[in-house]
Amino acid sequence: MKHAGRGIACMWYPIGFTVAANPSSAVVKVNEDGTATLLTGTVEVGQGSLTVLGQIVAQELGISAEDVHVISADTDVTPMDTGAIASRTTFVTGNAVRLAAAEAKSILLEVAAEMLGVEVRELEAANHQIRVKTFPEKRISLADVAMGAQIARGRPPLGSASFNPPTVAMDPETGQGKPFAAYVYATQITDVEVDDETGEVEVLHVYAAHDSGTAINPALVEGQVEGGIAMGIGMALSEEILFNPEGRQINPNLTNYLIPTSLDMPPIDIDIIESYDPVGPFGAKGVGEPTLVPTAPAILNAIYDAVGVRITDLPATAEKILMAIRKKERSNVKGLEPGEGDT
Amino acid sequence: MSEKPTKEKTADLGDLLAEPRVGQLPAVTRGPIPVVQALTVGANQQTPAVGQRVTRLDIRTHVTGSTRYIDDLAFPGMLHVKILRSTQAHARILSIDTTAARAMPGVVATLTGDEIPENSFGSSYQDQPVLAVDRVRHQGDGLVAIAAETEQQASDALAAVKVTYEPLPALFDPLEAIRPDAPKIHRDNNVYASKVIIRGDVEKGFAESDQIFERRYRTQMIEHVPMEPFAAIALWEPDGQLHVYSSNGRITLGRADLARTLQMPMNRIRVTATFIGGNFGGKNEIRTEPILALLAKKTRQPVKATFNREDEFIASTTRHPIIMDYKTGVADDGHLIARSVRLVLDGGAYASWSETTVGKAAILAAGPYRIPNVHVEGHAVYTNKTVTGAMRGFGAPQVAFAYESQMDEIANTLGMDPLAIRLLNGFSEGSISHTGQVLQAVALEETLLTAAKRSGWMEEGT
């Protein structure tokens, strides 16, 4: 017989890592036509970070994403970066590219102020223009400013910058300190169905609410959440490297090491909770790693809700769940307290 | 058996739902969004750029299969490299004989660890040999690299290498490895990284608690399973610069490790990473790059190594299994008063990113909850198993499994709604973390309420 269950789990997760400083740096060049080129030492690993970094540059310069060309991942060409790790790219590299773009922009604003006959502080870059904040009709195209800056005034608009998150070293004895500049939060609720004859679990639905600070690109945040949940389902139910008694892996292949396939993936409802981080670029934090963190406990809590057994060693394979159900049934026959089906 | 555990809706829950307490954050006002929202047409042309559903710069090449990964690259005269790995979990290497292998068809050169100028690497401690020379510590340690004209010829030649071992006692259980009398895998202590977090007085907290909950949780060893197994190519440019193409997610560190292992100036090394087909933490260190650089130098030809799936499992890193002992003291009204946590991480044969993992796991272990008395200690322990290192979440998925399982057990025993107990204890704006940090932009409660609302948690009364 199949039993339905629902489980909830929440989590917190820090952005960046803490053992040492973890700086990023960037170079932004604004071309004579008002497009821009970003040089970053981070590496695109499939998550879409280059797109996000391009959007941050575009935002700072008041241009659109397609106006920014991103060059990455070449130690001879791009400046240093601590790397695509620790959910840090949007927050740390994002701040470095924002600061580099701001430096290029300051040259453009100075040149535009001369061209328009106003003070620099009166100006903003928006919608491909540099314009007077209080009187937007007074404006000049970013392309004209960039061309003028380089050709007429000899001031090519480029910027370079670095960023390192503000942290406070932890006390070695008590661990007290400020190890991270920012944390994100998330909750996932899962619906499952558990077959009490086979122990098999089907994840029917996941409701995921994730804080990422400002979502620079909501579509990419959703992509991270979906991918993280796939990884979390594998952790909860099926994935495990097994060893023989001599210490040799016995399932180093995708036939016997079971990751979820598209057929195992449930519908996922995603809510992006936008908070505004005072340090992150345009309020952004990060989202890469935390997406999988609440998935396994939400599933395990749902299994308990469905059949009253609490699996405490992952993965909760069908075999383990079935054994726990049997053990619980035997306990009930003996008149023990119900709900004591813990493994 | 089919009956559901009772979860009462408490009066508290109603109040909490009516009035979110998330500091300066606005209440949830947005209506439902579709499960999958199409990318906005024209988003790439819009200003302001932030917040737009911009189409990824690289999506067209991914979808049409025209993205060029490392394994898609080839250079004239390029050789292929395969690595012989240990058949012992822990042993002294008595001899390595490559004579027969060098005579095999297509074989151009071999490389052993004693030919590597500085044969060690590692992010915290440089305790891992690029190729093992005198001792193997797990069944993934590389011993000999063979460069041949084809991948098949390199694979075939591996069988012709003769290695003799003197087996040493092996440790597979971190709880055994942590004992003072256990055989040592490196140096004089198998515990190689620890983290302690202390706040308040946990024993006093337990004494003041109405109920104590204690349980041990365990997690498994997990592989990242990136779509693209690790791959690299090394070649020497005519001007003497070493150019390495590598699916490495941290090229700045990768170049530093290459410079160190090869004893070369950094400006004579160029590392290019192209696009990477999934990292998840498994591509955060050098793997074969120094080997390829030296074989390319020896043969004066470009050389490539692409891991097959088994290489990826046994010779890259994996997620730490953690044994987690949780003890939590609560008041009858559901408030958490004290929590002690002991984490023992199966740290595998080499340190890799364990120091970071034990740190993050310890910092996060007590959960996103206001608990006045906390004591956490975490230890990473050497075993003779596959190297455990960075993986998406750095210890957080493991400890979240423990703290969230225990939260549900507490709620169940107290007859509270699992949502209510989390709302009652969860961090909010300005809460102090377990390391004494004042937290900003805390959206925990809003995520709880939003997920609850989206799923119909309150209506169902589950």
Side-chain angles (χ1 to χ4, degrees):
Chain A
M1 186 181 165
K2 288 183 176 178
H3 304 270
R6 169 169 277 194
I8 186 170
C10 61
M11 68 105 229
W12 62 321
Y13 195 77
I15 300 305
F17 70 81
T18 180
V19 169
N22 72 115
S24 286
S25 56
V27 174
V28 170
K29 307 185 286 186
V30 179
N31 305 306
E32 301 95 292
D33 62 355
T35 62
T37 303
L38 164 65
L39 305 182
T40 167
T42 193
V43 179
E44 171 69 46
V45 297
Q47 80 281 49
S49 61
L50 300 188
T51 307
V52 165
L53 296 174
Q55 284 180 260
I56 291 171
V57 170
Q59 178 79 14
E60 186 65 31
L61 294 172
I63 57 181
S64 60
E66 71 163 12
D67 298 324
V68 181
H69 181 60
V70 184
I71 293 172
S72 69
D74 186 330
T75 55
D76 262 14
V77 177
T78 58
M80 76 72 53
D81 193 282
T82 303
I85 181 174
S87 304
R88 60 183 292 287
T89 304
T90 298
F91 189 82
V92 185
T93 309
N95 261 326
V97 309
R98 184 184 60 84
L99 293 168
E103 193 178 311
K105 185 173 80 172
S106 70
I107 295 170
L108 294 169
L109 293 182
E110 283 170 26
V111 170
E114 289 174 28
M115 293 169 86
L116 292 168
V118 298
E119 297 290 321
V120 169
R121 60 182 158 76
E122 295 177 71
L123 294 173
E124 65 180 0
N127 200 22
H128 307 276
Q129 293 155 348
I130 292 180
R131 63 193 189 193
V132 175
K133 287 180 219 168
T134 53
F135 184 55
E137 289 76 10
K138 186 155 184 165
R139 63 192 184 213
I140 183 166
S141 81
L142 195 81
D144 287 348
V145 180
M147 180 72 89
Q150 182 158 324
I151 305 296
R153 287 170 172 80
R155 298 187 62 194
L158 54 86
S160 64
S162 62
F163 180 79
N164 185 53
T167 57
V168 177
M170 297 170 77
D171 182 293
E173 309 228 317
T174 65
Q176 297 298 297
K178 184 185 174 186
F180 304 103
Y183 290 82
V184 295
Y185 304 85
T187 298
Q188 289 179 10
I189 292 174
T190 61
D191 289 337
V192 304
E193 204 166 63
V194 184
D195 187 325
D196 67 9
E197 287 169 12
T198 64
E200 196 180 5
V201 177
E202 191 177 351
V203 181
L204 299 175
H205 208 115
V206 178
Y207 304 90
H210 283 259
D211 154 44
S212 59
T214 300
I216 304 288
N217 185 329
L220 291 176
V221 172
E222 288 161 10
Q224 285 279 19
V225 174
E226 289 175 6
I229 287 170
M231 215 169 223
I233 290 173
M235 178 180 178
L237 301 176
S238 62
E239 294 187 41
E240 181 172 24
I241 294 175
L242 299 166
F243 290 87
N244 72 8
E246 287 75 47
R248 182 163 204 82
Q249 288 190 19
I250 58 173
N251 59 340
N253 54 66
L254 298 183
T255 306
N256 297 313
Y257 180 95
L258 300 176
I259 61 169
T261 70
S262 53
L263 292 175
D264 299 308
M265 287 301 289
I268 300 170
D269 275 3
I270 300 168
D271 278 293
I272 299 172
I273 308 299
E274 290 211 2
S275 60
Y276 190 93
D277 188 86
V279 181
F282 305 108
K285 295 197 269 194
V287 75
E289 297 169 280
T291 53
L292 92 121
V293 174
T295 309
I299 290 171
L300 272 289
N301 288 339
I303 292 170
Y304 181 83
D305 187 42
V307 290
V309 299
R310 195 166 283 291
I311 306 297
T312 53
D313 57 330
L314 294 181
T317 57
E319 187 181 15
K320 243 181 240 177
I321 292 169
L322 189 61
M323 297 285 276
I325 290 171
R326 294 272 163 80
K327 189 177 164 194
K328 178 170 171 274
E329 284 171 346
R330 284 197 301 273
S331 304
N332 288 346
V333 170
K334 288 181 202 155
L336 297 177
E337 286 290 310
E340 288 292 316
D342 310 285
T343 57
Chain B
M1 184 179 56
S2 61
E3 69 191 6
K4 290 188 175 180
T6 316
K7 290 172 203 156
E8 295 173 9
K9 277 193 199 175
T10 62
D12 271 350
L13 181 58
D15 295 344
L16 287 164
L17 293 175
E19 221 173 297
R21 301 170 300 154
V22 192
Q24 275 74 52
L25 292 168
V28 189
T29 51
R30 188 172 49 188
I33 55 166
V35 173
V36 177
Q37 197 163 350
L39 292 165
T40 312
V41 175
N44 294 48
Q45 288 81 43
Q46 292 296 313
T47 59
V50 161
Q52 301 284 350
R53 294 175 164 270
V54 164
T55 302
R56 296 170 58 140
L57 311 168
D58 50 351
I59 203 68
R60 182 168 290 273
T61 60
H62 286 341
V63 171
T64 57
S66 51
T67 301
R68 285 195 305 166
Y69 295 93
I70 304 285
D71 198 44
D72 297 318
L73 303 178
F75 296 89
M78 190 171 76
L79 302 173
H80 299 268
V81 170
K82 286 286 175 187
I83 295 169
L84 180 74
R85 300 194 183 280
S86 172
T87 56
Q88 303 281 318
H90 197 193
R92 225 167 254 120
I93 301 167
L94 300 179
S95 68
I96 299 174
D97 182 357
T98 59
T99 317
R102 283 204 302 274
M104 292 283 285
V107 172
V108 182
T110 62
L111 188 83
T112 48
D114 52 8
E115 299 174 75
I116 299 170
E118 175 52 58
N119 185 22
S120 69
F121 71 102
S123 58
S124 293
Y125 319 110
Q126 288 71 50
D127 61 355
Q128 184 165 4
V130 179
L131 290 172
V133 173
D134 51 1
R135 194 163 159 188
V136 290
R137 294 182 174 86
H138 76 113
Q139 291 216 19
D141 268 332
L143 296 160
V144 179
I146 298 179
E149 283 161 15
T150 69
E151 220 175 331
Q152 188 62 52
Q153 288 170 331
S155 281
D156 291 347
L158 293 180
V161 176
K162 292 185 185 68
V163 183
T164 53
Y165 300 97
E166 178 195 328
L168 295 168
L171 292 166
F172 303 119
D173 179 350
L175 294 181
E176 264 176 48
I178 211 166
R179 291 165 47 151
D181 58 341
K184 300 298 177 275
I185 295 171
H186 295 260
R187 301 182 296 275
D188 56 356
N189 193 346
N190 288 333
V191 178
Y192 63 89
S194 297
K195 192 74 165 181
V196 176
I197 312 284
I198 299 171
R199 194 158 178 78
D201 181 339
V202 80
E203 290 308 326
K204 187 164 159 277
F206 287 135
E208 290 166 1
S209 300
D210 294 323
Q211 296 201 46
I212 306 281
F213 293 81
E214 279 186 88
R215 197 165 292 286
R216 170 170 287 186
Y217 302 91
R218 306 178 78 119
T219 59
Q220 73 276 44
M221 187 178 278
I222 289 177
E223 159 60 19
H224 309 79
V225 197
M227 292 245 271
E228 177 208 25
F230 179 81
I233 297 169
L235 55 91
W236 293 79
E237 303 287 0
D239 67 357
Q241 192 188 31
L242 170 64
H243 193 170
V244 172
Y245 295 85
S246 167
S247 48
N248 185 314
R250 308 188 68 208
I251 55 169
T252 301
L253 183 79
R255 186 183 63 168
D257 283 348
L258 265 171
R260 186 177 165 278
T261 51
L262 300 173
Q263 297 286 297
M264 277 177 65
M266 286 186 179
N267 69 350
R268 306 305 295 157
I269 301 171
R270 178 181 186 184
V271 179
T272 306
T274 71
F275 284 97
I276 290 181
N279 177 351
F280 311 114
K283 292 170 178 164
N284 287 339
E285 301 159 89
I286 53 167
R287 300 251 170 270
T288 58
E289 295 93 327
I291 298 168
L292 303 185
L294 291 168
L295 282 169
K297 194 170 195 176
K298 244 185 181 180
T299 62
R300 299 172 180 272
Q301 285 168 275
V303 297
K304 175 198 260 186
T306 302
F307 275 8
N308 62 23
R309 189 54 66 181
E310 180 170 342
D311 291 326
E312 193 64 37
F313 267 87
I314 69 175
S316 83
T317 55
T318 59
R319 187 188 294 287
H320 295 78
I322 310 186
I323 298 157
M324 305 176 283
D325 290 319
Y326 271 68
K327 180 177 176 184
T328 303
V330 300
D332 282 334
D333 67 358
H335 279 102
L336 304 181
I337 294 171
R339 173 166 275 173
S340 74
V341 181
R342 180 187 187 245
L343 309 171
V344 177
L345 284 73
D346 186 337
Y350 301 104
S352 183
W353 285 93
S354 291
E355 192 184 10
T356 307
T357 307
V358 74
K360 258 191 188 174
I363 290 165
L364 301 171
Y369 300 112
R370 286 174 278 109
I371 312 173
N373 306 290
V374 168
H375 184 116
V376 180
E377 58 175 86
H379 307 286
V381 185
Y382 285 125
T383 61
N384 293 111
K385 283 153 79 184
T386 310
V387 183
T388 46
M391 186 169 175
R392 195 181 198 175
F394 277 109
Q398 295 96 316
V399 296
F401 163 60
Y403 66 68
E404 286 302 82
S405 291
Q406 192 163 58
M407 283 304 274
D408 256 38
E409 193 183 334
I410 295 167
N412 256 281
T413 305
L414 298 181
M416 287 183 76
D417 183 295
L419 172 64
I421 196 167
R422 288 172 171 84
L423 289 168
L424 182 68
N425 290 287
F427 283 147
S428 53
E429 193 69 25
S431 287
I432 313 290
S433 77
H434 311 300
T435 67
Q437 177 175 352
V438 179
L439 298 170
Q440 295 176 296
V442 180
L444 177 68
E445 184 171 300
E446 209 179 355
T447 69
L448 281 163
L449 292 173
T450 304
K453 193 173 165 188
R454 177 76 59 202
S455 66
W457 181 278
M458 284 74 82
E459 289 79 357
E460 298 223 345
T462 53

